[in-house]
Amino acid sequence: MKRKFIDVMDTTFRDGFQSVFGGRVLMEDFLPAVEAAKDAGITHFEFGGGARFQSLFFYLRENAFDMMDKFRETVGPDVNLQTLARGINTVMLDTGSREMIDLHAKLFKKHGANTIRNFDALNDVDNLAFSGECIAKHGLKHEVVVTIMDLPPGCHGAHDAPFYEKILRKILDSGLPFDSVCFKDASGTSNPNKVYQTIKMARRLLPEKTHLRLHTHETAGVSVACYLAALEAGVDGIDLAAHPVSGGTSQPDILTMLHATKGSAYDLGGLEREKILTYEEVLGECLKDYFIPPEATQVSPLTPFSPMPGGALTANTQMMRDSGIFHKYPQVVRAMQEVVEKGGYGTSVTPVSQFYWQQAFENVMFGPWKKIAPGYGRMVLGYFGKTPTEPDPEIVRLASEQLGFEPTTENPLDIADRDETKSIAYWKKVLEKEKLEVTEENIFIAASCDRKGIDFLKGNSPLKVRKKVQEVEKEKIEEKIEEKKRVEKEGNMASVYTVLVDGEKFKVEVVEGEAEIISKEATKSPAETLKNENAVKKAEETPEANEVVAQVPGNIWKILKNPGDKVQEGETIMVVEAMKMEIDVPSPITGTISKVNVTTNQQVQEGQVLAFVE
């Protein structure tokens, strides 16, 4: 019996990296593995787009377009290279204007992409129309997506096979050009029976030769079962990854699926176990120095209750580690269920998954629904399109009051086109003002990454790669600090120590039991570096009436008021960036700014005094 050929897309270098490392893998470290994958017979890769676009500029000091060019050079001209786009967001932080969406397709074609997988987290087909037209216009294959997941227990009204049939019929009726269809489950929560029913439905509705795919994650532990169900239902392609960035929050391992389909009617891309094993050994060697977060390798039976996508999970936990609040992670995950229930059942995939996460984070840090996260609020108000079901009316009311926006049914693209800051002309002027070269690539980098894009182009972006040696150093330092803490008196003031670890000196500041590694260069003495007025207050302490304190840990994004400026009670003094959110820091009283203790880009802790108002 002839076996059915199943196209395997290797997601290792995009979704795999995103799911395990938050996208933070340097190009020079992984390119040898790309060569090994090609030698193993891989002919279809996901190699860019999604959150892996911005992560290069934000954390790696690398240009995503240069990476794409190098990837194409490595695999040759005949391999299918695919990227991920978020409909009207493409790879940007917010809804793009029509001209920016068109520029995205043009540039990705120029830099080696063959196919763009295009999805909308709300399954609003209107959000796929223009971006799909641009993809087709620039000569790329358009893989249109229906985003899927299982709702938390007890929830109904969307995300079942009849709901997906309604979305697919809208795609077919719209006349939207597409070359293939993918059902994409970023949280890995869909159950095998629903997957089978959904693929059978799609196979019945779609033209006979339409290429049909399933994408899922191992996060909830049912990915292999879902893929087997999809194969039985008639799917033509599945997505897999290579160890050590497979399983857990990522896609199932290539070797695992080869084993699962042994003796079956399905040929997974003609791939051979021994060649894949060699490829995975090379990849393991390439990534041996990288710190793999424990949660990236885990399967959690709780994921269906609070659907957190694999690709977003580790990015969020890394940010929490960096901010010193990782201990709050279980609370935030638990808080997601209510946020999903009240938000209109958008699929938990970027950007909606981040909206869910941000709102859950706000609910944990400030109290349930005390603060509406901007993205979540704008979603329930309709500014990103229509949610699958109506959001909770009380949450809509709170969002409108807090954000100052009325609910809308207007096309988000029309709103974006009216926004001058989303135009090509605007970003040309910004580049000229910053004395940077005006190219289409630089325009798109600046527009999609905002100030961080400009910092990258000026050579001012940070390098934030987590490798094992850093984690070992941190653990050893924390052990040393624990020893020091036992002999320290209780008090408000920070203490600075010089700690010797494996022959290296570290300057460490301890604030009420919390340690921060300042640098590897030891100071001459603690007294010379300690400034009492900048000592961090305990987060539990009630601040004085004139003290402006950080409500959450993060980085100072903008300082809007300076010493001598008059402010009203509640007026924003500065903005803290935390967990991909811009959080306003208000003045506690009406008065005059007497002192500002922080600078732009400085990392601050919860409860730290940022400024004084007299």
Side-chain angles (χ1 to χ4, degrees):
M1 181 180 70
K2 185 177 180 181
R3 303 174 78 197
K4 179 180 178 180
F5 184 89
I6 303 298
D7 179 75
V8 171
M9 181 169 76
D10 184 350
T11 60
T12 297
F13 305 100
R14 208 294 301 174
D15 208 343
F17 284 176
Q18 181 63 36
S19 297
V20 175
F21 302 115
R24 306 185 198 186
V25 183
L26 294 164
M27 178 169 56
E28 64 180 17
D29 289 339
F30 74 77
L31 280 176
V34 176
E35 185 73 39
K38 176 190 172 186
D39 292 342
I42 305 291
T43 59
H44 188 181
F45 293 90
E46 187 181 40
F47 83 128
R52 258 291 281 181
F53 182 79
Q54 271 135 354
S55 65
L56 275 71
F57 301 105
F58 285 8
Y59 307 117
L60 304 181
R61 295 178 183 164
E62 291 183 350
N63 189 317
F65 294 121
D66 293 342
M67 184 278 293
M68 292 166 68
D69 291 342
K70 193 66 176 177
F71 203 111
R72 171 57 75 188
E73 180 185 329
T74 302
V75 300
D78 301 325
V79 169
N80 183 8
L81 294 184
Q82 185 162 321
T83 64
L84 185 68
R86 313 177 193 118
I88 55 177
N89 281 61
T90 63
V91 294
M92 294 180 278
L93 293 170
D94 197 358
T95 303
S97 63
R98 286 180 173 86
E99 60 183 12
M100 283 297 178
I101 292 171
D102 184 71
L103 183 58
H104 160 262
K106 179 182 180 181
L107 289 175
F108 276 56
K109 170 66 174 178
K110 176 182 176 181
H111 290 282
N114 302 106
T115 306
I116 293 183
R117 176 178 287 175
N118 187 34
F119 74 91
D120 179 65
L122 300 180
N123 278 313
D124 187 337
V125 176
D126 290 340
N127 285 350
L128 297 171
F130 183 75
S131 54
E133 291 169 6
C134 292
I135 290 167
K137 181 181 83 172
H138 287 286
L140 291 148
K141 291 183 178 180
H142 179 213
E143 184 163 282
V144 70
V145 175
V146 178
T147 57
I148 68 175
M149 66 184 238
D150 265 19
L151 292 175
C155 297
H156 305 281
H159 291 290
D160 52 18
F163 171 75
Y164 300 136
E165 179 173 352
K166 181 176 70 173
I167 302 303
L168 187 56
R169 287 185 181 277
K170 284 184 178 180
I171 290 172
L172 293 171
D173 292 344
S174 72
L176 176 66
F178 63 86
D179 300 275
S180 56
V181 175
C182 177
F183 288 87
K184 174 180 171 64
D185 186 346
S187 60
T189 54
S190 294
N191 68 80
N193 180 61
K194 184 181 78 174
V195 167
Y196 180 84
Q197 298 298 333
T198 298
I199 298 299
K200 288 288 284 187
M201 171 275 297
R203 193 80 283 169
R204 184 180 72 251
L205 286 185
L206 291 167
E208 185 179 354
K209 299 295 183 180
T210 304
H211 185 81
L212 182 60
R213 305 188 66 86
L214 177 68
H215 168 96
T216 191
H217 289 244
E218 181 61 8
T219 325
V222 293
S223 64
V224 173
C226 285
Y227 275 154
L228 292 174
L231 290 171
E232 288 297 316
V235 83
D236 302 303
I238 57 176
D239 297 353
L240 302 171
H243 181 78
V245 294
S246 57
T249 54
S250 181
Q251 281 69 58
D253 194 88
I254 301 170
L255 289 173
T256 300
M257 280 307 299
L258 285 173
H259 181 69
T261 54
K262 196 187 311 181
S264 73
Y266 309 106
D267 173 8
L268 299 190
L271 300 176
E272 301 174 20
R273 285 190 295 274
E274 289 303 317
K275 290 182 178 179
I276 297 299
L277 184 59
T278 300
Y279 157 38
E280 293 197 349
E281 288 172 351
V282 173
L283 180 65
E285 181 65 22
C286 289
L287 300 176
K288 66 180 181 180
D289 292 333
Y290 282 80
F291 170 68
I292 296 180
E295 62 274 12
T297 64
Q298 296 172 355
V299 169
S300 173
L302 299 179
T303 300
F305 294 84
S306 301
M308 168 51 62
L313 191 150
T314 52
N316 288 326
T317 57
Q318 292 226 51
M319 285 188 286
M320 294 190 89
R321 278 191 177 90
D322 292 343
S323 299
I325 52 171
F326 183 65
H327 60 284
K328 293 184 181 289
Y329 169 69
Q331 296 171 254
V332 177
V333 170
R334 283 197 298 271
M336 278 190 66
Q337 179 168 343
E338 183 184 18
V339 169
V340 173
E341 290 173 356
K342 294 181 181 295
Y345 294 156
T347 315
S348 191
V349 61
T350 306
V352 169
S353 59
Q354 200 62 26
F355 299 160
Y356 287 154
W357 171 267
Q358 289 167 348
Q359 188 58 58
F361 180 80
E362 297 274 29
N363 286 357
V364 167
M365 300 302 291
F366 300 105
W369 307 107
K370 297 297 184 184
K371 292 189 70 172
I372 299 295
Y376 185 86
R378 290 172 63 203
M379 177 184 72
V380 300
L381 290 170
Y383 285 85
F384 300 115
K386 184 172 177 56
T387 54
T389 62
E390 293 297 324
D392 184 277
E394 177 62 14
I395 302 304
V396 173
R397 182 188 68 79
L398 288 172
S400 181
E401 287 180 358
Q402 290 189 27
L403 302 182
F405 295 118
E406 291 298 318
T408 184
T409 58
E410 187 178 5
N411 187 333
L413 286 178
D414 292 336
I415 298 173
D417 281 347
R418 292 198 301 270
D419 187 342
E420 180 195 8
T421 66
K422 297 183 178 182
S423 69
I424 288 176
Y426 173 84
W427 289 104
K428 279 184 177 178
K429 291 178 182 176
V430 171
L431 292 173
E432 289 168 354
K433 181 181 178 181
E434 298 284 353
K435 295 182 172 54
L436 292 166
E437 184 180 5
V438 178
T439 65
E440 288 185 322
E441 284 82 356
N442 284 358
I443 289 169
F444 192 79
I445 291 167
S448 59
C449 299
D450 202 353
R451 187 66 235 176
K452 290 184 179 180
I454 297 297
D455 287 343
F456 166 80
L457 293 172
K458 296 180 77 172
N460 296 330
S461 58
L463 180 63
K464 293 186 177 180
V465 181
R466 300 181 74 95
K467 294 198 175 184
K468 291 177 183 177
V469 64
Q470 296 166 334
E471 295 304 309
V472 171
E473 287 172 349
K474 183 178 178 182
E475 289 176 7
K476 289 180 178 178
I477 288 170
E478 288 173 348
E479 290 175 5
K480 297 283 186 181
I481 292 306
E482 287 300 318
E483 295 175 13
K484 293 284 188 180
K485 279 162 48 181
R486 283 194 289 269
V487 297
E488 277 297 305
K489 293 181 180 179
E490 289 289 331
N492 239 5
M493 189 177 297
S495 300
V496 176
Y497 304 108
T498 297
V499 180
L500 188 67
V501 180
D502 292 343
E504 271 193 284
K505 291 182 179 180
F506 293 81
K507 188 187 85 176
V508 182
E509 183 175 355
V510 180
V511 183
E512 288 300 308
E514 297 295 329
E516 180 182 0
I517 304 168
I518 309 298
S519 72
K520 289 188 178 181
E521 196 173 312
T523 56
K524 293 180 180 179
S525 73
E528 290 175 328
T529 57
L530 181 61
K531 293 183 179 179
N532 292 345
E533 66 267 26
N534 288 332
V536 181
K537 295 175 66 68
K538 287 189 297 184
E540 300 83 18
E541 266 188 17
T542 302
E544 299 294 331
N546 68 332
E547 292 177 341
V548 180
V549 300
Q551 297 172 301
V552 294
N555 294 299
I556 300 298
W557 178 237
K558 298 173 184 174
I559 296 175
L560 305 177
K561 299 293 182 179
N562 296 297
D565 291 344
K566 297 186 180 302
V567 291
Q568 298 295 314
E569 181 180 351
E571 186 176 358
T572 301
I573 292 176
M574 60 186 72
V575 180
V576 171
E577 181 189 33
M579 307 304 295
K580 294 186 180 179
M581 293 182 289
E582 294 182 16
I583 299 173
D584 292 344
V585 179
S587 175
I589 59 174
T590 297
T592 302
I593 303 290
S594 61
K595 187 176 185 180
V596 174
N597 289 345
V598 292
T599 58
T600 304
N601 294 324
Q602 180 179 335
Q603 188 167 353
V604 297
Q605 299 300 318
E606 181 183 358
Q608 183 170 340
V609 178
L610 309 178
F612 292 89
V613 182
E614 302 295 344

